[in-house]
Amino acid sequence: MYKIYPKTLFLGQKIQYLPSCQSTNDEAATLIAQTDPAEGTLVVTDNQMAGRGQRGNQWEAKSGQNLTASLILKPTFLSASEQFWLNIAISLGIYDLLQPLVGDALRIKWPNDVYVGDYKLGGILIENTLYSYNIAWSVVGMGLNINQTDFSYSTATSLQQQSPLPNGYDVAGLLSRLCETLEQRYLQLRSGQRDTLKISYLQILYRYQEEHLFEREGQYFRGTIIGVDSTGRLAIADHEQVRYFGFKEVSFV
């Protein structure tokens, strides 16, 4: 399985397939520690038993029904303070794959969840290894709900639920196409096209320029997302001031 042939320069040209594993991110980190893997190497599994999400959450995915993979990159052109630019490029690559299939309700929820309307279709977990002031390695974990149709969380959804096909989706075929869209966005980032990426990212950001309720340290407030700064902090306009929040400092309500 997963003999894919993406039309890419390097991304997805080498694949390590595991029928089952605890975490593809952990397996990718082990590859980095023990070998010198080629940039663009993918670690893919049918059954991820202990997938992780942001804030330590566990990722729920039934065996063989979804896309669970980790991508190894070497974004040495990014400093440690520029890590969020990789989130932007990866988010856009995933959006480019899914938007033609599910339509304009697709959004990226800051910092790195994939939503259709108010339902979560997938998530991204990027773990970086630093060398001096720059990123040496990045492991990009991706979990996308493809053919699964029953979830323990009422807010979860899948590609099959949003845009059903009689026999479901070809997960390997989607992974091959994802390699292509991810590489296009990554090469944009590597060539310095940050303004283009930022504009595209804000256009697909969940609840962008809409007033909503947020929670911080048990306190609720109304605000409007107006952007993301260069370090990845979410900018929320609260009355006449703009407040900036890191990954674990504010929650959507």
Side-chain angles (χ1 to χ4, degrees):
M1 193 175 178
Y2 286 107
K3 291 183 179 179
I4 64 173
Y5 304 97
K7 297 175 182 178
T8 59
L9 297 174
F10 59 93
L11 208 155
Q13 293 299 318
K14 292 191 176 182
I15 292 182
Q16 177 171 315
Y17 168 68
L18 303 168
S20 179
C21 72
Q22 292 293 309
S23 162
T24 56
N25 265 31
D26 289 347
E27 295 291 339
T30 298
L31 273 181
I32 292 170
Q34 296 180 352
T35 66
D36 184 21
E39 184 171 36
T41 297
L42 274 174
V43 179
V44 186
T45 188
D46 285 326
N47 184 24
Q48 183 171 241
M49 296 176 287
R52 300 190 303 280
Q54 283 291 335
R55 305 171 189 260
N57 295 331
Q58 188 166 351
W59 180 254
E60 175 191 9
K62 290 197 173 180
S63 178
Q65 297 185 24
N66 303 301
L67 194 159
T68 46
S70 292
L71 168 65
I72 296 174
L73 294 173
K74 298 181 181 180
T76 55
F77 55 90
L78 292 176
S79 68
S81 64
E82 296 173 325
Q83 296 180 38
F84 196 74
W85 284 102
L86 186 58
N87 286 61
I88 289 176
I90 297 299
S91 296
L92 286 168
I94 291 174
Y95 180 89
D96 293 342
L97 169 74
L98 296 175
Q99 192 278 335
L101 303 174
V102 300
D104 291 337
L106 186 68
R107 288 290 181 268
I108 299 299
K109 181 181 176 184
W110 177 90
N112 44 21
D113 287 332
V114 182
Y115 266 57
V116 180
D118 292 320
Y119 294 89
K120 183 175 178 177
L121 189 144
I124 307 160
L125 180 63
I126 301 179
E127 297 176 311
N128 299 306
T129 301
L130 305 180
Y131 180 77
S132 186
Y133 296 105
N134 287 66
I135 300 175
W137 296 92
S138 291
V139 174
V140 180
M142 299 168 287
L144 300 177
N145 297 329
I146 305 300
N147 291 317
Q148 185 171 337
T149 55
D150 60 310
F151 300 91
S152 59
Y153 297 98
S154 61
T155 54
T157 191
S158 68
L159 186 55
Q160 178 66 5
Q161 284 183 316
Q162 293 294 324
S163 184
L165 292 180
N167 298 312
Y169 286 84
D170 174 12
V171 178
L174 288 173
L175 178 61
S176 181
R177 175 60 184 151
L178 179 60
C179 289
E180 296 167 6
T181 58
L182 287 173
E183 184 176 89
Q184 289 166 6
R185 292 298 188 172
Y186 183 67
L187 291 177
Q188 275 188 298
L189 178 61
R190 198 162 74 179
S191 65
Q193 299 179 49
R194 295 188 180 188
D195 289 344
T196 299
L197 292 169
K198 185 70 171 290
I199 291 169
S200 297
Y201 181 79
L202 291 178
Q203 288 175 342
I204 64 170
L205 189 61
Y206 178 73
R207 294 186 176 178
Y208 179 58
Q209 292 186 336
E210 301 174 2
E211 184 176 324
H212 283 278
L213 194 62
F214 298 89
E215 183 268 327
R216 181 177 187 267
E217 297 179 349
Q219 301 295 316
Y220 294 89
F221 68 96
R222 298 196 69 84
T224 302
I225 296 172
I226 62 169
V228 178
D229 75 5
S230 61
T231 62
R233 295 184 304 167
L234 189 67
I236 300 177
D238 176 12
H239 300 295
E240 295 184 355
Q241 66 174 337
V242 177
R243 303 161 68 183
Y244 293 87
F245 299 94
F247 291 168
K248 298 182 180 181
E249 295 177 351
V250 68
S251 299
F252 292 76
V253 178

